[in-house]
Amino acid sequence: MAITDGWRQRRTRRYLLHALEIVERRALFSDTVDWPTVRAEAVAACAGAVSYTGIHDTVWTVVKQAGGAHSGLRRPGPASAWGTGTLPSGEVIDGVARIGLPACSERGRGYRDTGHQLMRDLAAAGPSGWVVDLRGNQGGNMWPMLGVIGSLLPDGVLGYFVPPTGPDQVWRLRQGRVLLDSRTMARTVAPHHPGGPVAVLTDGGTGSSGEAVAVAFRGRPDVRTFGSETAGMTSANEIHPLRDGARLSVTVAWFADHHHTVCRGPLQPDESGGTDPLAAAVDWIRRTR
């Protein structure tokens, strides 16, 4: 029994050190951590562990310390994909098109297809402007989201991932393709950039990739934001699967808008819109036109 336990302890120690090495190498605030001390304390805390479950809490603590609030560890078990069963929605309100973008699952094929058809239908109505509703969008896969609403944005830089030490990665729109550097991540639908003012709605439930979509609209002519400040997860994560099925989520870069203004923390709206930001946004678009 002792031999078996000794083997298990060595195995879990290797697991722990592997996870710590990923965090040390990639985490956004890694250079603020005293790694010799943190590593020694983590190993001591897990010295008697004979299963991976016994060290998850320690890994969680370290990745939060080095990666910030957006980092974490998802323990093994049934995956709860972002936005499962939730698809984009749309309507026309007083001649203004509203496209609602919820959180998006990891693959997002149904999300993309539904969103593309909605954009075609809404554009066919000849709206005087657009509302991109990101309220409650907690994140997930940002690329299908940008693919759905990319036709409302001009060609060029949409934003950046900015790590502590370069190089930055650029999100770009080029002839209907959403690119990460030179790699195609999603496609938009015609008509491309149909014109008219765009209002973006956010709230405290807008986080992570939902905030990335908001960042893509920041600082553009004929765009105004309404609602309340976002969740403040304006950063990019890498997902590292571990050998027991746990998923280590390590924050590695900040978002920046197309002016290369880095976003650290919640995004503030231009206007609160009072108790009904959607009505305020529609009114602004109608007055602008």
Side-chain angles (χ1 to χ4, degrees), residues 16-29:
L16 172 66
L17 292 176
H18 172 64
L20 297 184
E21 192 274 333
I22 292 171
V23 177
E24 180 178 1
R25 178 168 46 86
R26 299 298 299 160
L28 188 60
F29 307 113

Side-chain angles (χ1 to χ4, degrees), residues 70 82 98-104 111 131-140 142 145-146 199-218 225-235 255 263-269 271-272 277:
H70 199 185
W82 288 108
R98 171 196 163 272
I99 179 78
L101 295 184
C104 180
Y111 186 106
V131 175
V132 178
D133 194 344
L134 298 172
R135 292 175 295 178
N137 183 331
Q138 298 178 28
M142 66 185 277
M145 300 180 202
L146 288 174
V200 179
L201 306 186
T202 64
D203 64 8
T206 308
S208 187
S209 295
E211 289 170 298
V213 177
V215 166
F217 284 95
R218 279 169 61 94
T225 55
F226 295 80
S228 54
E229 72 174 22
T230 62
M233 302 296 183
T234 48
S235 50
F255 298 155
C263 306
R264 293 183 174 91
L267 304 175
Q268 302 296 329
E271 298 184 26
S272 71

Side-chain angles (χ1 to χ4, degrees), residues 63-86:
V63 75
K64 287 289 187 183
Q65 180 180 355
H70 199 185
S71 296
L73 179 77
R74 180 181 294 174
R75 290 166 173 79
S80 55
W82 288 108
T84 300
T86 309

Side-chain angles (χ1 to χ4, degrees), residues 171-217:
W171 332 330
R172 193 186 310 273
L173 190 62
R174 180 184 298 154
Q175 297 179 342
R177 294 182 299 146
V178 181
L179 306 174
L180 177 60
D181 292 332
S182 60
R183 180 185 175 192
T184 298
M185 307 300 292
R187 294 185 182 273
T188 66
V189 294
H192 183 61
H193 197 47
V198 177
V200 179
L201 306 186
T202 64
D203 64 8
T206 308
S208 187
S209 295
E211 289 170 298
V213 177
V215 166
F217 284 95

Side-chain angles (χ1 to χ4, degrees), residues 269-289:
D270 297 316
E271 298 184 26
S272 71
T275 59
D276 193 343
L278 175 57
V282 170
D283 181 64
W284 170 74
I285 290 170
R286 288 172 59 83
R287 287 186 286 106
T288 300
R289 296 295 285 180

